Amino acid sequence: MQSQTYELKAVVVVGDILETGGSVTQDKCMTVQRFNYTCQRKRDDTGKAYGPTDPVFLNFTIRVNSSEQAKPFYQNMVSTTHYPVSFLFNASFNATLRLADYADAMVVDGYVIDVKDNFNSGTPGTSETEQISLDVQVQVRSITYLGRGNNKVMTFIK
């Protein structure tokens, strides 16, 4: 009997997975430890939406393997242009460590507005290694949900 895991594993890649596709290598993927966002609209008593969409902020925490992986988030924070990041759920890689498949994904285009880093250094003389985690906050411009067969785009800032 085959064992199945019901744990959702997510990785983040800097860039738009729709453009990069199979050229994504496993070393460019960072493990997502936590992420959350809320999309809201005001509605009247009949359920009809009115007014602008409330600003959407995506918060996520990732584990990075080197300070080089953190660099794009800091660069994007001081930039005035928006950038995409892709979240891949249950990604699998082929023998050459290139992206082979994923269950679902979402491409978030937006502005990095905050980055906090947490350094945990290993204990000397043990097998523990240094770990860096980043808490990133993005003001979302748009989210593209990638599913099997069709994609759904939600735009918040034009």
Side-chain angles (χ1 to χ4, degrees):
M1 183 165 121
Q2 183 178 353
S3 174
Q4 291 185 337
T5 179
Y6 294 100
E7 181 181 346
L8 183 63
K9 296 176 183 119
V11 294
V12 69
V13 178
V14 175
D16 186 341
I17 193 68
L18 291 171
E19 294 175 7
T20 56
S23 66
V24 172
T25 56
Q26 192 171 10
D27 64 330
K28 300 292 183 201
C29 297
M30 295 162 273
T31 303
V32 176
Q33 295 178 319
R34 177 189 66 77
F35 83 101
N36 66 50
Y37 64 99
T38 303
C39 304
Q40 296 184 33
R41 292 263 340 243
K42 294 177 181 79
R43 296 192 179 272
D44 62 16
D45 293 337
T46 63
K48 185 175 178 181
Y50 68 92
T53 303
D54 290 344
V56 177
F57 296 97
L58 167 70
N59 299 293
F60 60 96
T61 302
I62 55 174
R63 188 175 66 231
V64 295
N65 298 324
S66 71
S67 58
E68 282 300 309
Q69 284 184 319
K71 193 174 183 179
F73 295 105
Y74 286 105
Q75 289 172 335
N76 293 348
M77 188 169 63
V78 297
S79 174
T80 58
T81 58
H82 52 91
Y83 292 93
V85 292
S86 299
F87 292 86
L88 308 171
F89 302 99
N90 295 323
S92 61
F93 300 87
N94 61 22
T96 61
L97 300 180
R98 294 201 178 280
L99 180 65
D101 196 17
Y102 52 87
D104 294 297
M106 59 190 250
V107 178
V108 178
D109 187 44
Y111 304 91
V112 175
I113 59 172
D114 191 26
V115 178
K116 293 178 182 142
D117 48 33
N118 303 301
F119 293 96
N120 297 317
S121 61
T123 307
T126 67
S127 61
E128 292 180 30
T129 59
E130 183 176 88
Q131 284 192 342
I132 304 169
S133 64
L134 293 181
D135 295 325
V136 181
Q137 185 175 38
V138 175
Q139 183 175 8
V140 177
R141 228 177 129 251
S142 68
I143 299 175
T144 303
Y145 296 97
L146 310 174
R148 300 277 183 205
N150 62 357
N151 300 338
K152 171 77 172 150
V153 179
M154 296 177 66
T155 302
F156 303 103
I157 301 173
K158 295 189 182 203

